[in-house]
């Protein structure tokens, strides 16, 4: 699939971006995940607003703004339904990196839901972004079709030029298992499980989804606060953590 990435400035293009983001986040008539007037203002004043096109079809959107520490904060990225796994997210991230370098910005930051496996694998393993903080209920209550009814916990990551070293192949202590059994950090290399389909679980068993949220917050969040660093994410859904002194 051939993709082209373009900066979006014209109002008709921004309206199309608004419609795509509404579709992705399940808010066709409600509050948009990124307000059209905000995208317009960011595009006009030098922020980052870009679209990924396959032919004439808009298949991805990313929006960001310059941060106080001299970087680009990527606030939202959406890929059209049915288009995941086609390289659209990677193309948008590469475009962001080129854009940031052209504007002499040092790095790129963003947040993501740490319970969504595909996002964790993409951000931490494929891109090599570095997790810096666990942010409980970062955005407060959200009413879109993806996040409604769940706390908006987020992992804050930074994408730098030199990716971190791959995690060591060592025995790891389970801080959170697939059966929701948790334990406290002991200073040893560790790992935390995630649910295979948290988005589906929110619809079929909201109570269990909330239990997963609380358990990951307690295990992953506590480990990061105690000096651990996320050093990887496995394809089968485990966060790999190492104490700071050996990471």
């Amino acid at each position: 699939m051939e993709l082209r990435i373009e900066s979006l400035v014209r109002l008709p293009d921004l309206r199309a971006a608004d419609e795509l983001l509404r579709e992705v986040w399940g808010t066709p008539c409600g509050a948009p995940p990124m307000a059209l007037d905000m995208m317009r203002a960011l595009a006009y004043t030098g922020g980052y607003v870009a679209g990924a096109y396959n032919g004439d079809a808009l298949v991805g959107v990313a929006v960001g703004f310059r941060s106080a520490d001299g970087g680009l904060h990527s606030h939202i990225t959406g890929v059209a339904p049915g288009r995941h796994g086609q390289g659209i997210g990677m193309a948008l991230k590469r475009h962001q990196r080129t854009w940031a370098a052209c504007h002499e910005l040092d790095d790129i930051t963003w947040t993501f839901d740490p319970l969504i496996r595909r996002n964790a694998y993409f951000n931490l393993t494929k891109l090599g972004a570095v997790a810096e903080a666990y942010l409980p209920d970062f955005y407060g209550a959200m009413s879109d079709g993806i996040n409604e009814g769940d706390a908006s916990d987020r992992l804050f990551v930074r994408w730098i030029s030199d990716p971190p070293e791959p995690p060591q192949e060592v025995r790891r202590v389970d801080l959170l298992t697939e059966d929701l059994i948790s334990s406290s950090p002991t200073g040893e290399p560790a790992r935390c499980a995630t649910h295979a389909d948290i988005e589906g679980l929110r619809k079929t068993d909201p109570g269990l989804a909330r239990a997963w949220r609380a358990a990951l917050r307690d295990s992953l969040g506590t480990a990061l606060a105690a000096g651990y660093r996320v050093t990887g994410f496995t394809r089968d859904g485990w966060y790999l953590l190492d104490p700071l002194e050996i990471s």
Side-chain angles (χ1 to χ4, degrees), residues 172-222:
R172 296 182 180 276
V173 175
D174 288 349
L175 299 184
L176 178 64
T177 72
E178 293 172 307
D179 297 320
L180 286 180
I181 299 172
S182 60
S183 59
S184 300
T186 61
E188 303 173 78
R191 63 179 191 166
C192 292
T194 58
H195 190 271
D197 181 15
I198 193 65
E199 293 163 298
L201 191 65
R202 288 173 185 152
K203 298 175 182 177
T204 60
D205 193 338
L208 184 55
R210 288 192 292 271
W212 266 102
R213 174 70 69 201
L216 190 65
R217 180 187 295 180
D218 287 344
S219 57
L220 181 59
T222 297

Side-chain angles (χ1 to χ4, degrees), residues 3-208:
L3 290 171
R4 73 179 191 280
I5 312 295
E6 297 182 358
S7 294
L8 304 182
V9 179
R10 298 172 56 249
L11 194 55
D13 296 331
L14 293 170
R15 286 197 179 103
D18 172 66
E19 291 174 3
L20 186 145
L21 292 175
R22 285 176 180 272
E23 182 181 11
V24 172
W25 266 264
T27 57
C29 301
M34 185 72 189
L36 176 59
D37 59 349
M38 181 60 69
M39 282 195 287
R40 176 70 160 166
L42 284 171
Y44 187 79
T45 58
Y48 179 86
V49 185
Y53 289 88
N54 178 207
D56 293 331
L58 181 65
V59 295
V61 173
V63 183
F65 49 84
R66 300 172 194 236
S67 58
D69 60 358
L72 170 67
H73 183 73
S74 179
H75 176 63
I76 191 168
T77 300
V79 173
R83 295 282 192 162
H84 289 285
Q86 298 179 10
I88 298 167
M90 181 65 77
L92 284 166
K93 284 301 178 192
R94 288 174 175 163
H95 185 266
Q96 284 185 341
R97 172 163 277 179
T98 300
W99 188 94
C102 289
H103 289 80
E104 299 182 342
L105 302 179
D106 297 331
D107 49 35
I108 304 172
T109 60
W110 63 92
T111 67
F112 72 92
D113 185 339
L115 272 175
I116 299 180
R117 283 186 177 183
R118 68 175 183 276
N119 291 349
Y121 186 79
F122 176 77
N123 292 323
L124 301 176
T125 301
K126 296 189 71 173
L127 291 178
V130 177
E132 292 193 346
Y134 190 100
L135 307 173
D137 205 19
F138 184 59
Y139 297 111
M142 304 179 75
S143 59
D144 60 81
I146 295 177
N147 298 288
E148 187 173 17
D150 195 4
S152 57
D153 289 22
R154 295 294 182 265
L155 204 60
F156 181 87
V157 300
R158 189 178 302 274
W159 197 25
I160 55 180
S161 298
D162 298 321
E165 292 294 324
Q168 301 178 33
E169 294 293 333
V170 296
R171 178 185 176 277
R172 296 182 180 276
V173 175
D174 288 349
L175 299 184
L176 178 64
T177 72
E178 293 172 307
D179 297 320
L180 286 180
I181 299 172
S182 60
S183 59
S184 300
T186 61
E188 303 173 78
R191 63 179 191 166
C192 292
T194 58
H195 190 271
D197 181 15
I198 193 65
E199 293 163 298
L201 191 65
R202 288 173 185 152
K203 298 175 182 177
T204 60
D205 193 338
L208 184 55

